[in-house]
Amino acid sequence: MPEITPRGLTGLAFGGDYNPEQWPEAVWEEDVRLMREAGVTLVSVGIFSWALLEPAPGAHDFGWLDRSLDLLHGAGIRVDLGTPTVVPPAWFYRAHPDALPVTADGVRLEFGSRGAICHSNPAYRAAAADITTRLAERYGDHPALAMWHVHNEYGVPVSACYCDTCAARFRRWLERTYGSVEAVNEAWGTAFWGQRYASLDEINPPRATPTVGNPAQALDYRRFADATMRENFTAERDILHRLSPGVPVTTNFMTALSQCDSVDYWAWGREVDLVTNDHYLITDGRRTHVNLAMAADLTRSVAGGAPWLLLEHSTSGVNWQPRNPAKAPGQMARNSLAHVARGSEGAMFFQWRQSRRGAEKFHSAMLPHGGTETRVFREVTELGASVRSLAPVRGTRTEADVAVLWDWQSWWAQNLDWRPSQDHDARERADAFYEVLYDRHLTVDFARPEDDLSRYPLVVVPALYLMTEAAGDNLRRYVEGGGTLVVSYFSGIVDEHDAVHEGPCPGVLRDVLGLTVEEFSPLLEGERVRLTGPGGADVHADVWTEFVVPRGAETVWTYADGLAAGRPAVTRHRLGEGTAWYVSTRLGTDGLATVLARAAEDAGVPPRDDLPHDVEVVRRSGDSGRFLFAINHSAADAKVPLETPGTELLTGERAAGRLAVPAGAVRVVRLDG
Ligand code: GAL
């Protein structure tokens, strides 16, 4: 993917969503003055402003946006200009009530919030194209324009609509995908429960049914809904490319698995000029900085390893969780710079000035209700200076050590109903494996199951229920060629239509893992089993067990109790030049850490015992040099060994030997040579 950056920015981006339409124009001068004070270089404007830009059908008012953009330009602040198509005006819905989305239960959602869109609706598509065209014609070569921001977070809050217009489009999608109703019947296995269709016209979206519906139909509907949103994105993007050539077009992703599950970002990553992401800390008791690192690695991976941009995060608390703690002093900077370490070309926030009205008035901002004499504004200003001093990292790439395989479509399939256990959660496994790799100080690239993996010594598969034959072949080639693979249970089970691969499970992974699974035997709520392993060390597991039959693999850990007692729990298979590990149960952190340590040894990935716990150390490198980021999330001062001396960019001091990173602090060293 070509590396495309916001036009006219020389350093990293710093700023946020800016909604001047919420404020009297008298406030705008102060906004711009304080933005300069805080070091703001880029703002996202106009994302929700359709009703203000087109107050009545066909009657446009661009005056306020002209004045705002000119003011920003005069202050040297670049603009990421939104197409406001995530909230059509109220008058639009009055004329086109069928553009409001319908849930699977048949409820039509109302206007009065945001994102109430049926993406199949022709009137919506036409109106979105029209407002995008007018904006592109008017601002396509505005001197402040750095990039275009289409829509907002496709996939949330509505991921799919189930109305009749969507039903008709779904049928056309099926026709294009399968060619005939017979092929749909075959792929969906409609012989089961007499679901056979005589004509495509009989097929509907997977609306509410008396009991569980056809899983392959549900999976295809997710693909269809995702593709429909993507079509709307590319329609807007193509208008912008035509009328505003040379200006990058993006739409803000939400790659954190806890925040959006309806978009296949592998596919979307190919459609944007620059990958951008929004990330918010989920305060559910887990280590938020680990979740942040995972989302940042996933974002960089969907960008093909190229630099990307963090378009939104929060300066302090959000307001949409049950409890919304403020960020601790220094936490905002650690969050922002961890994104930069993992490839972001800057740090942007929602939003510049905290709203007084509307649903988000208790959400933190760069300029809080309390004004400039606040901790948040002081920290924002300090961060602005830090981001400015990191300009040299621009264009460099984050160095990764290992790969984790992830696939949104497999996740969708895995989450359908009537699985062996409702307690098995693919996302939880991805989080758990990631956390262990994070604590071993390994930087993770995410990859698709069919990608070339040969450059990674270690590849981890936390949960890939759906795998194509091609993916299975790919993993076998990877191991035969000398790779080390670690696979968690309930992977490689079904094909792209949610049909179980022929023969014993795990279908496409049998050969590479050197085993078959005779039966799944999930555990009851709260039930645990004990595993005995090398040297007599015990580990515990829960949620899942299975009856594994080795067919070439050696047993490393054995179930000591439960129905699977005496059978293999964790196995290792030498194949060609490489090794494939299989973990047939849900290990806790300690068990996983032990297995991954053994696998890392097989892979020749050395332990980083010299690095302190919870000090994140990540490197970026490229034409402008090699940079070591050290982010101390712990409450203790730490020391990080440097491979060569260098210059610390935030303080300007020379650094050599062991770099001091005070508790809660961030250090970024430009390494010599
Ligand atoms: C994002 C959204 C912003 C704002 C923010 C609050 O998902 O794009 O507009 O609502 O959340 O956290």
Side-chain angles (χ1 to χ4, degrees):
M1 185 183 295
E3 290 177 21
I4 300 177
T5 53
R7 240 183 19 161
L9 272 188
T10 47
L12 299 184
F14 184 64
D17 283 18
Y18 176 42
N19 298 300
E21 68 274 23
Q22 294 179 15
W23 300 92
E25 290 200 24
V27 176
W28 299 3
E29 296 275 352
E30 187 192 57
D31 280 332
V32 165
R33 182 173 57 77
L34 293 178
M35 282 179 192
R36 285 179 61 93
E37 196 177 313
V40 167
T41 55
L42 180 69
V43 288
S44 303
V45 178
I47 300 167
F48 301 104
S49 64
W50 194 343
L52 291 112
L53 293 170
E54 192 175 0
H60 294 92
D61 174 9
F62 292 113
W64 66 271
L65 188 53
D66 291 352
R67 292 192 293 283
S68 176
L69 295 196
D70 290 349
L71 191 64
L72 289 163
H73 178 58
I77 295 165
R78 313 288 304 152
V79 171
D80 166 37
L81 187 56
T83 69
T85 51
V86 69
V87 188
W91 56 254
F92 170 81
Y93 286 113
R94 234 175 131 202
H96 305 286
D98 56 351
L100 289 163
V102 174
T103 66
D105 294 324
V107 176
R108 201 175 276 284
L109 301 177
E110 277 295 341
F111 177 77
S113 172
R114 65 172 171 184
I117 293 164
C118 163
H119 279 279
S120 298
N121 186 269
Y124 168 74
R125 291 160 88 104
D130 181 70
I131 188 72
T132 301
T133 302
R134 284 166 197 274
L135 281 166
E137 281 170 352
R138 192 168 187 96
Y139 301 109
D141 57 3
H142 193 285
L145 184 65
M147 60 191 214
W148 289 99
H149 176 302
V150 170
H151 203 85
N152 194 61
E153 294 175 346
Y154 282 96
V156 287
V158 175
S159 57
C161 167
Y162 295 79
C163 74
D164 289 342
T165 313
C166 286
R169 276 184 71 83
F170 183 44
R171 289 176 204 124
R172 289 204 296 280
W173 184 89
L174 289 171
E175 187 157 28
R176 279 200 309 279
T177 307
Y178 292 101
S180 69
V181 71
E182 290 76 23
V184 176
N185 279 317
E186 175 66 25
W188 289 5
T190 55
F192 184 81
W193 280 358
Q195 291 165 357
R196 183 165 294 280
Y197 296 100
S199 148
L200 289 176
D201 295 335
E202 295 163 3
I203 299 181
N204 277 321
R207 295 173 176 150
T209 42
T211 179
V212 66
N214 183 307
Q217 176 189 12
L219 178 58
D220 267 347
Y221 204 70
R222 298 203 71 152
R223 293 179 173 130
F224 157 77
D226 178 56
T228 304
M229 290 189 285
R230 204 158 58 243
E231 249 176 60
N232 284 1
F233 166 74
T234 55
E236 288 194 38
R237 178 202 63 193
D238 293 349
I239 294 170
L240 297 168
H241 278 168
R242 184 163 48 81
L243 297 173
S244 181
V247 180
V249 179
T250 192
T251 180
N252 45 344
F253 294 173
M254 271 202 134
T255 59
L257 304 180
S258 52
Q259 283 159 48
C260 178
D261 69 354
S262 55
V263 172
D264 180 354
Y265 286 118
W266 289 128
W268 285 73
R270 291 194 289 266
E271 300 294 351
V272 295
D273 296 327
L274 169 72
V275 166
T276 57
N277 196 49
D278 299 349
H279 184 266
Y280 292 93
L281 302 184
I282 302 294
T283 42
D284 60 0
R286 287 185 291 176
R287 295 154 77 205
T288 54
H289 55 281
V290 180
N291 173 278
L292 182 156
M294 179 168 163
D297 284 346
L298 199 43
T299 309
R300 183 186 66 256
S301 303
V302 300
W308 54 279
L309 178 59
L310 174 70
L311 214 48
E312 291 181 26
H313 69 319
S314 70
T315 57
S316 191
V318 298
N319 73 325
W320 38 261
Q321 300 182 59
R323 293 161 205 90
N324 300 285
K327 286 191 180 176
Q331 191 179 4
M332 173 186 71
R334 289 194 296 280
N335 290 167
S336 304
L337 299 180
H339 283 290
V340 174
R342 290 173 192 272
S344 175
E345 295 284 72
M348 310 268 294
F349 294 92
F350 174 83
Q351 63 177 330
W352 163 250
R353 186 185 276 273
Q354 190 169 22
S355 300
R356 281 190 56 215
R357 298 182 169 83
E360 300 194 305
K361 53 184 169 290
F362 298 117
H363 191 292
S364 60
M366 299 173 82
L367 181 60
H369 293 145
T372 54
E373 296 304 311
T374 52
R375 173 183 75 96
V376 165
F377 190 73
R378 275 191 295 277
E379 287 196 24
V380 162
T381 305
E382 278 166 29
L383 178 63
S386 299
V387 169
R388 195 173 327 124
S389 65
L390 294 182
V393 306
R394 186 164 180 245
T396 58
R397 291 181 167 225
T398 301
E399 299 174 4
D401 304 299
V402 299
V404 170
L405 300 193
W406 179 255
D407 179 33
W408 277 272
Q409 299 202 14
S410 174
W411 191 28
W412 298 343
Q414 154 87 73
N415 283 345
L416 295 169
D417 291 329
W418 286 17
R419 302 315 193 195
S421 170
Q422 65 170 27
D423 298 330
H424 171 46
D425 174 353
R427 194 190 107 201
E428 182 280 330
R429 281 294 79 187
D431 288 349
F433 275 83
Y434 184 89
E435 186 165 3
V436 170
L437 296 169
Y438 180 98
D439 283 337
R440 288 186 70 83
H441 297 280
L442 295 173
T443 303
V444 168
D445 269 351
F446 286 88
R448 276 172 297 198
E450 294 175 21
D451 283 346
D452 175 11
L453 302 166
S454 52
R455 69 175 184 280
Y456 300 105
L458 178 65
V459 171
V460 175
V461 181
L464 269 190
Y465 161 75
L466 181 159
M467 284 181 73
T468 60
E469 295 223 359
D473 290 345
N474 189 40
L475 294 191
R476 189 173 32 73
R477 273 196 307 275
Y478 166 74
V479 173
E480 283 170 349
T484 301
L485 180 72
V486 181
V487 176
S488 184
Y489 61 91
F490 212 41
S491 294
I493 306 296
V494 297
D495 68 10
E496 55 272 44
H497 304 301
D498 197 47
V500 174
H501 285 291
E502 264 188 71
C505 290
V508 296
L509 292 175
R510 283 192 301 258
D511 293 348
V512 65
L513 297 175
L515 53 82
T516 56
V517 173
E518 231 178 273
E519 269 183 81
F520 306 126
S521 185
L523 301 179
L524 298 179
E525 202 176 355
E527 193 180 351
R528 295 202 322 156
V529 289
R530 192 165 55 85
L531 275 52
T532 51
D538 284 358
V539 292
H540 286 90
D542 61 5
V543 170
W544 191 277
T545 64
E546 46 187 36
F547 305 160
V548 172
V549 182
R551 301 189 189 276
E554 58 175 299
T555 300
V556 188
W557 270 270
T558 306
Y559 288 108
D561 47 29
L563 275 183
R567 293 174 183 265
V570 177
T571 62
R572 177 175 180 268
H573 185 218
R574 297 280 312 165
L575 181 69
E577 303 294 307
T579 309
W581 287 79
Y582 183 59
V583 183
S584 72
T585 182
R586 194 180 86 132
L587 292 176
T589 311
D590 290 349
L592 268 190
T594 315
V595 172
L596 284 173
R598 292 279 313 269
E601 221 172 277
D602 282 342
V605 176
R608 308 263 164 92
D609 298 337
D610 51 342
L611 295 178
H613 182 69
D614 259 343
V615 178
E616 188 171 338
V617 177
V618 180
R619 289 171 181 77
R620 281 181 72 157
S621 56
D623 291 347
S624 57
R626 191 147 190 255
F627 302 85
L628 177 142
F629 286 71
I631 303 161
N632 189 347
H633 299 283
S634 81
D637 295 346
K639 291 263 199 296
V640 171
L642 296 177
E643 50 265 47
T644 67
T647 305
E648 204 290 313
L649 295 177
L650 305 181
T651 57
E653 286 168 9
R654 289 290 295 164
R658 282 159 59 79
L659 171 74
V661 190
V666 181
R667 294 288 180 263
V668 185
V669 178
R670 182 182 205 160
L671 300 164
D672 294 345

